[in-house]
Amino acid sequence: MSRNDVTEKIITAKVLKGISWASVAEKVGLSKEWTTAACLGQMTLTAEQADIVGGIFDLSEDDRKWLQVVPYKGSLPSAVPTDPLIYRWYELVNVYGTTIKELIHEEFGDGIMSAIDFSMDLQRQNDPKGDRVRVVLSGKFLPYKTY
């Protein structure tokens, strides 16, 4: 048994029961983005959160313990993703990464955007030319220090 096995159980139960990530998040009491990442094995749940998720997906006590283990973060199976949707994010970073870096440095100075002190909001945006995916990423700026 591993955390990956528990993730597979969650995905299987989600499909078979017709559960939405938004409904899981509502029961957990956190955003759909964070809750989905946790269910997919990228975040650590508290015992209380693990019990809620475990109840939704019919997980055993042992499975629920795995939900509370700090995961190895980074879920992509290869350096260059092959899934078309994930690849487009990779492409976005390849094309616009240096632009984002330059603009952050110009605005904030030498540092990074945190992926730890971070939030994300994903919404459907209706558009007569075809619906759009709106993603807002917000991370704390962490300046490099001198010593």
Side-chain angles (χ1 to χ4, degrees):
M1 175 63 65
S2 71
R3 181 59 182 91
N4 290 336
D5 295 327
V6 177
T7 298
E8 290 301 319
K9 285 183 180 184
I10 288 171
I11 293 169
T12 299
K14 179 187 180 297
V15 170
L16 295 178
K17 292 181 167 195
I19 298 169
S20 73
W21 291 123
S23 69
V24 175
E26 186 176 320
K27 291 175 183 166
V28 173
L30 295 170
S31 73
K32 69 180 180 295
E33 295 81 8
W34 189 93
T35 303
T36 302
C39 289
L40 295 178
Q42 295 301 302
M43 300 295 171
T44 308
L45 281 77
T46 65
E48 181 182 342
Q49 293 164 342
D51 281 341
I52 293 167
V53 169
I56 294 167
F57 296 109
D58 299 323
L59 301 177
S60 71
E61 284 303 314
D62 286 346
D63 294 337
R64 294 171 194 214
K65 288 178 185 174
W66 278 107
L67 296 175
Q68 299 170 63
V69 173
V70 176
Y72 183 88
K73 296 186 191 263
S75 60
L76 299 180
S78 60
V80 177
T82 57
D83 178 277
L85 191 142
I86 296 172
Y87 179 79
R88 291 298 170 248
W89 279 93
Y90 179 81
E91 180 182 42
L92 187 145
V93 171
N94 271 323
V95 173
Y96 292 102
T98 54
T99 300
I100 293 167
K101 177 181 170 41
E102 283 296 315
L103 293 173
I104 287 173
H105 289 318
E106 183 175 274
E107 181 73 23
F108 294 91
D110 189 11
I112 63 169
M113 183 179 105
S114 176
I116 296 170
D117 190 343
F118 175 85
S119 65
M120 173 176 44
D121 182 46
L122 187 144
Q123 296 180 8
R124 178 184 210 115
Q125 189 175 359
N126 294 326
D127 188 299
K129 298 177 192 170
D131 289 355
R132 303 181 67 80
V133 178
R134 179 178 168 82
V135 180
V136 176
L137 308 174
S138 177
K140 180 179 180 181
F141 179 74
L142 303 171
Y144 284 103
K145 68 177 192 171
T146 56
Y147 54 94

